[in-house]
């Protein structure tokens, strides 16, 4: 949500501040503003000159009357305005409570009227488009975006960013709901083949309380057998970053597949991976978690929580639910052409192919990095 923060300064405080103290306070305010910027909370702001430089307009006897000075005489003067992005009013209050400007006078925080502001932004964009209509623009061509002025581009981008922020807040809300899902206790004593021999399920946690298991497709019915695993699963593992970044939050990650351990180890060495990989061969683990069915193999991500020796499943997702782990797709989605698959809604002339057919293991692409013109 957007909030407008009106910063007031008491006249007595302003008059008592020395030049040095005023400069120090300004630097403290700027430093905190930078913290808000880094957190994506500060959208902008304006500082105001002294109220003695103000004029006030009002209708008097049917005509506009102009008087010198502020609209109202008060102990505090409006000194500046900040535009803030926060989850809700409580969050906005928490952010502004630490602002050094509070020492000079009160802050009034109001939610922005986003509906009216969206209308205002749309009218601004329309005005910009009309203003640019008289200028010569390159005619849109199939296969690339149309060319506009920098000003029109910025207006359009700002409007699109609002939609992205809304989607981000919705994802945050989903994550909060996911953390409140019920869980189910794992009753079967599963054991897996690992580099150190046969190990119980609890060992996959590596002493941590949380565990993510990626059900990697490596079995007789999967393309690449017996020497290689699923190309899509391989792409996902390629995109997982250094484990230290999630291990520090008490989370371990393990790959589990039906294939024999020796096949998994050989392919792991070929791909250059270091994540722990276990074989569930000879167990009902895959069947019990729905990734091996009469229809064949599928992939998925399971989340587990450990309480002593008791293990609970808290979440599962498959298919496109694991796309959030694929940073290559995220990057392609931001690019002009997208993933270039024919299910995407793209303008006419954009390059597209059937999905999946272009996927390869990372050492199987032809001349990676060569640009086709």
């Amino acid at each position: 949500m957007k909030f407008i923060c009106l910063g007031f300064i008491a006249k007595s405080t302003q008059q008592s501040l020395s030049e040095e103290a005023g400069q120090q306070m300004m630097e403290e305010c700027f430093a905190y503003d930078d913290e808000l910027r880094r957190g994506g909370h500060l959208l902008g702001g304006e500082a105001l000159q002294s109220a003695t430089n103000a004029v006030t307009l009002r209708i008097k006897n049917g005509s506009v009357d102009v008087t010198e000075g502020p609209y109202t005489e008060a102990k505090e003067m409006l000194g500046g305005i900040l535009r803030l992005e926060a989850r809700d009013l409580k969050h906005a209050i928490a952010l502004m409570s630490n602002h050094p400007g509070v020492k000079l006078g009160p802050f009034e925080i109001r939610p922005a009227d986003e509906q009216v502001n969206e209308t205002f932004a749309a009218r601004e964009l329309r005005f910009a488009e009309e203003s640019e209509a008289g200028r010569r623009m390159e005619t849109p061509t199939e296969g690339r975006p149309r060319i506009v002025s920098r000003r029109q581009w910025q207006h359009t981008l700002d409007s699109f960013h609002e939609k992205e922020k809304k989607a981000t807040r919705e994802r945050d809300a989903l994550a909060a709901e996911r953390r409140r899902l019920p869980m189910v206790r794992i009753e079967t004593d599963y054991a897996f083949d690992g580099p150190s021999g046969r190990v119980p399920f609890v060992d996959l946690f590596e002493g941590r309380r949380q565990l993510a298991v990626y059900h990697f497709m490596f079995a007789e019915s999967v393309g690449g057998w017996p020497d290689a695993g699923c190309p899509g699963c391989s792409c996902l593992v390629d995109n997982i970053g250094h484990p230290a970044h999630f291990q520090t939050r008490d989370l371990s990650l393990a790959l589990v597949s039906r294939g024999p351990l020796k096949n998994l180890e050989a392919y792991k060495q070929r791909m250059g991976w270091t994540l722990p990989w276990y074989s569930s061969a000879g167990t009902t683990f895959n069947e019990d978690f729905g990734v091996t069915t009469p229809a064949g193999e599928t992939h998925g991500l399971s989340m587990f929580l450990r309480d002593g020796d008791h293990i609970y499943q808290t979440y599962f997702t498959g298919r496109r639910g694991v796309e959030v782990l694929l940073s290559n797709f995220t990057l392609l989605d931001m690019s002009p052409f997208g993933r270039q698959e024919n299910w995407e809604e793209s303008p006419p002339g954009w390059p597209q192919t059937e999905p999946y057919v272009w996927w390869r293991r990372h050492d199987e692409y032809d001349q990676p990095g060569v640009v086709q013109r």
Side-chain angles (χ1 to χ4, degrees), residues 3 25 34 37 76 80 115 120 151 159 199 221 236 259 279 286 290 295 300 312 327 345 364:
F3 294 88
M25 175 58 67
D34 288 340
R37 284 191 184 90
E76 293 91 11
Q115 184 175 359
F120 185 76
R151 179 181 176 185
S159 178
V199 296
S221 59
L236 184 143
S279 171
N286 277 42
Y312 303 87
S327 57
E345 183 181 346
E364 293 176 345

Side-chain angles (χ1 to χ4, degrees), residues 102-223:
V102 176
K103 301 174 186 176
L104 299 177
F107 267 103
E108 179 182 331
I109 303 175
R110 295 192 210 174
D113 191 326
E114 297 201 18
Q115 184 175 359
V116 174
N117 287 335
E118 285 177 4
T119 302
F120 185 76
R123 293 178 70 86
E124 270 196 326
L125 177 59
R126 186 173 67 189
F127 178 79
E129 290 173 341
E130 291 172 353
S131 298
E132 298 293 345
R135 296 181 56 181
R136 184 177 179 182
M137 294 290 177
E138 184 172 337
T139 304
T141 305
E142 282 198 355
R144 67 178 183 184
R146 65 192 181 98
I147 300 175
V148 298
S149 69
R150 167 66 63 172
R151 179 181 176 185
Q152 186 174 346
W153 178 84
Q154 189 63 57
H155 272 286
T156 306
L157 184 64
D158 290 344
S159 178
F160 183 74
H161 280 165
E162 293 306 313
K163 297 178 181 178
E164 287 185 321
K165 290 176 182 178
K166 181 180 179 182
T168 297
R169 291 192 291 269
E170 290 174 348
R171 286 196 299 272
D172 290 342
L174 274 176
E177 186 175 351
R178 185 183 300 116
R179 290 190 291 271
R180 289 165 173 80
L181 291 174
M183 60 185 183
V184 60
R185 183 172 172 177
I186 305 302
E187 304 288 354
T188 305
D189 294 327
Y190 297 107
F192 304 89
D193 291 325
S196 301
R198 197 77 168 169
V199 296
F201 193 7
V202 71
D203 281 17
L204 275 60
F205 284 79
E206 298 179 324
R208 301 181 182 90
R209 293 189 62 203
Q210 303 175 100
L211 171 68
V213 168
Y214 181 64
H215 304 275
F216 192 114
M217 295 168 59
F218 198 124
E220 295 89 340
S221 59
V222 179

